Structure formats: C-alpha cells, structure tokens
Amino acid sequence: KSFTHARYGTESVKANAAWSTIYKTVYNCPTKQEGPSESIFCARGDLNVTGAFRYGTIGIYYDPKVFAEGVRQLASSYDELKHLDTYQYDLVDFTRQALADYAQIVYRKCMHAYRAKDLAELEKQSAYFLELIQLQDDLVSMRKEFLLGRWLESAKSIAPTKNEKDLFEQNARTLITVWGDKGVAEELHDYSNREWSGMLRDFYLPRWTLFINELKRSIVKSNYSQPEYYSFEESWSRERKIYPVQPAPMNIELINKILLLIQE
C-alpha cells in the first residue's frame, strides 16, 4: 500500500488491490533467467518459438489469467487516477504485457492447426494473431516510452551531416533488429528487441507474415522451409520512414477492448 501511494500520490482501494495481484505475478519470478520474459511478437516466427533473443525466453512463470485480472483492477481505477502520468504508463505497460501473454495462446492454436493440416483453422488463427500485433502497436502508441520515432530521431539529432544522419539512423535500426551483418545476426538477432509502436506494425508484423505464409504454403506442399528473415530485416534497417515522436491520446476504450478480448 505504501508503494501504491508513493507511485500515485493518493490512496486508492482499487489500485491497491491491483498492485497486490500484480506483485504476486510478474514481480515474483521464482527462478533465474536471462532478462525479463520477452514478447512473442518480437520473436522470429518458428515452429517452436522459445524466445526472441537466442538466450532469452518467452516463458511465463506466473498465471497470466491472474495477472490480467490485476490489470483489469488497475483499469477500473481509470476515472480516479487518469490524470496521473505514472498511472497512465502503468496501465499501458501492464496491458501490453497481458496482450503479449495472450498472444502465446493464439500462437499455439496456429501451430495446432498447422500440425493437424487444418488450413481453414490456420487462416483464422493466424489472421487473429496478426490482428493482435496491430492492436499492440495501437496500444503502445499512447506512451512516449514506446515510440520507435523517438529512438530514431534521437540518433539523427546528433549527426551534423545528411550522410551521418542516414548512417546513425541505420545504426539505430540495426541495434534493435539484426545487431550486425548476417553472420552476427545468426547469433544476436533481436538481442535488443523492442515492443514499440511503429516497430510492431512495420517490422514484427511483416516478419510474422513471412512465417505464416510459409505455414500455409507448406500445409499444401508438405515441405516446410524456415523463411530467410535476414534479407527483410536488413532491408528494414536501411529504410528512412519517419515515425511519430509524440504519443497518441490515452484511449481507455481500446484498453478495455483488449482486456475483454483476453478473457478467454
């Protein structure tokens, strides 16, 4: 309770209940692991995704349904705490985590359909999975901390010439994707993965689409081949698309839609 008061500067029964639940889940890791559990959205598509970074994990060491209930408790405090920046950040961040957790269920349904050679079910579940990535992009666009544009513009802002701006942007994009050339990428791709607005929609979404398209093709042809991801990833690092540096307005309707969606 003292933490919640320190975080929000006020007493809130609902927020206290939320943090009590959240504390017992994501903040109570029982084992050692390489960094926090990663989002499946940030991983290369694979028949058995275990993490984004080679030594990372998407393993969930808590009950995601209990955690999601804690997030719903926090969302129920919106009218009371919506004016607080710390509250807005927590609500977006925790909803982001809950949606990424839920996406693992949908991924497993995709893989079950693939192994059963059920093309219709694979079409349905994979379309849903890609929709979740777009929802995640919309969600995190509400916070400046999750904007790809701020990362790229900060890199370009310290470059004195046009050529250096391009180089600095390419370096900034490389750091959060392939990390280096193709040989380096085999070892370190997604070492610095980021669940950011702009990146979800323009990098992770098309990368997952490559995998899903291969699953659909191989159901018919029966000869699955892992997509060659590096070509797409390296090409993205050389793009120069401009992304927003200011967050979208808070949208509690979207947050509630997501929290309702993941109740299954």
Side-chain angles (χ1 to χ4, degrees):
K1 290 181 180 180
S2 61
F3 171 81
T4 307
H5 185 274
R7 182 72 173 157
Y8 302 136
T10 186
E11 291 295 336
S12 170
V13 173
K14 292 178 180 178
N16 281 338
W19 273 95
S20 178
T21 301
I22 291 165
Y23 162 72
K24 296 171 185 174
T25 53
V26 290
Y27 288 117
N28 191 27
C29 184
T31 60
K32 294 180 179 180
Q33 65 182 49
E34 182 77 18
S37 295
E38 300 166 329
S39 168
I40 192 171
F41 295 144
C42 299
R44 285 177 170 178
D46 191 85
L47 297 179
N48 182 31
V49 174
T50 58
F53 174 46
R54 181 172 182 173
Y55 302 108
T57 181
I58 61 167
I60 300 174
Y61 49 83
Y62 52 89
D63 187 333
K65 290 186 177 180
V66 175
F67 171 68
E69 181 54 36
V71 184
R72 290 187 194 95
Q73 290 172 325
L74 194 65
S76 71
S77 306
Y78 186 77
D79 289 340
E80 177 187 0
L81 303 174
K82 63 183 178 183
H83 61 289
L84 299 172
D85 189 63
T86 47
Y87 171 79
Q88 291 181 19
Y89 175 85
D90 291 342
L91 185 56
V92 171
D93 192 27
F94 291 149
T95 304
R96 174 203 58 76
Q97 182 72 44
L99 182 56
D101 292 347
Y102 174 72
Q104 292 196 35
I105 297 173
V106 182
Y107 164 76
R108 289 193 291 271
K109 289 181 178 179
C110 288
M111 299 317 303
H112 178 78
Y114 170 73
R115 294 185 176 103
K117 297 189 180 299
D118 186 340
L119 183 57
E121 183 66 10
L122 177 60
E123 292 270 9
K124 174 185 172 182
Q125 297 298 336
S126 62
Y128 188 31
F129 184 85
L130 297 179
E131 179 186 338
L132 296 182
I133 299 179
Q134 296 178 72
L135 269 179
Q136 192 78 304
D137 192 283
D138 291 340
L139 171 70
V140 297
S141 73
M142 300 179 203
R143 291 299 308 183
K144 65 182 186 297
E145 296 86 357
F146 296 113
L147 297 182
L148 172 63
R150 291 175 67 88
W151 170 253
L152 298 180
E153 294 305 318
S154 67
K156 291 188 285 184
S157 69
I158 58 174
T161 68
K162 173 64 167 63
N163 285 342
E164 286 176 308
K165 284 184 186 295
D166 289 346
L167 176 62
F168 284 18
E169 179 173 2
Q170 183 173 354
N171 285 341
R173 286 170 174 258
T174 299
L175 285 171
I176 55 177
T177 54
V178 291
W179 196 258
D181 62 20
K182 188 171 184 178
V184 172
E186 287 306 306
E187 179 77 16
L188 295 176
H189 69 83
D190 299 297
Y191 167 66
S192 185
N193 59 84
R194 293 289 187 269
E195 206 167 9
W196 283 346
S197 177
M199 198 164 181
L200 282 152
R201 192 176 298 272
D202 286 353
F203 184 78
Y204 296 127
L205 177 64
R207 191 170 72 174
W208 269 101
T209 300
L210 290 174
F211 172 69
I212 288 168
N213 287 343
E214 174 58 20
L215 289 184
K216 294 175 185 175
R217 186 201 65 79
S218 65
I219 278 186
V220 178
K221 300 293 184 179
S222 299
N223 60 337
Y224 173 81
S225 178
Q226 184 79 346
E228 202 289 286
Y229 292 116
Y230 181 79
S231 295
F232 161 75
E233 295 163 341
E234 194 275 334
S235 177
W236 185 86
S237 73
R238 290 185 281 104
E239 292 181 8
R240 295 295 174 264
K241 180 177 177 179
I242 304 296
Y243 291 92
V245 295
Q246 295 300 325
M250 279 292 290
N251 184 345
I252 189 60
E253 289 79 15
L254 176 62
I255 290 171
N256 285 332
K257 173 185 176 180
I258 292 170
L259 294 177
L260 183 62
L261 196 69
I262 65 178
Q263 277 189 304
E264 74 168 45

